[in-house]
């Protein structure tokens, strides 16, 4: 599980689109949603952020090949919480 702070949805979705395996977030009712395949979830996250950033976003990845992408994203885009 990864948690990012001050997430700009546009940049985050570029990360998601490049991942090989699922990138899942948990909904408030406990359902896991893969952001690679769910336009509604992506739209809702973008709408919540508006022109700003999301205060934080927790997600998980299943494919080990995606770890390096996430770590690179964190180094380039992560801001202090």
């Amino acid at each position: 599980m990864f948690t990012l702070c001050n997430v700009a949805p546009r940049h985050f979705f570029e990360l998601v689109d490049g991942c090989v395996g699922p990138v899942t977030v948990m909904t408030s009712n406990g359902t896991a949603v893969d952001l690679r395949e769910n336009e509604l979830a992506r739209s809702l996250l973008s709408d919540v952020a508006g022109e700003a950033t999301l205060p934080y976003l927790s997600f998980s990845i299943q494919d080990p090949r995606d770890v390096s992408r996430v770590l690179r994203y964190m180094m380039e885009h992560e801001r202090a919480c």
Side-chain angles (χ1 to χ4, degrees):
M1 177 75 68
F2 292 92
T3 300
L4 302 176
C5 298
N6 301 312
V7 178
R10 183 175 57 87
H11 292 269
F12 180 72
F13 293 140
E14 289 173 4
L15 166 72
V16 169
D17 292 340
C19 286
V20 176
V23 179
T24 56
V25 296
M26 297 298 283
T27 64
S28 59
N29 66 0
T31 303
V33 175
D34 183 0
L35 291 175
R36 294 175 315 137
E37 302 172 348
N38 193 314
E39 281 299 317
L40 178 59
R42 290 170 74 128
S43 178
L44 289 172
L45 286 173
S46 293
D47 289 348
V48 167
E51 295 296 318
T53 60
L54 296 167
Y56 66 93
L57 180 64
S58 295
F59 64 98
S60 62
I61 56 174
Q62 282 77 36
D63 196 302
R65 295 173 287 181
D66 294 329
V67 171
S68 63
R69 290 185 57 78
V70 171
L71 294 176
R72 187 170 41 255
Y73 174 87
M74 291 172 73
M75 290 187 304
E76 294 172 1
H77 298 284
E78 180 72 1
R79 298 180 200 117
C81 293

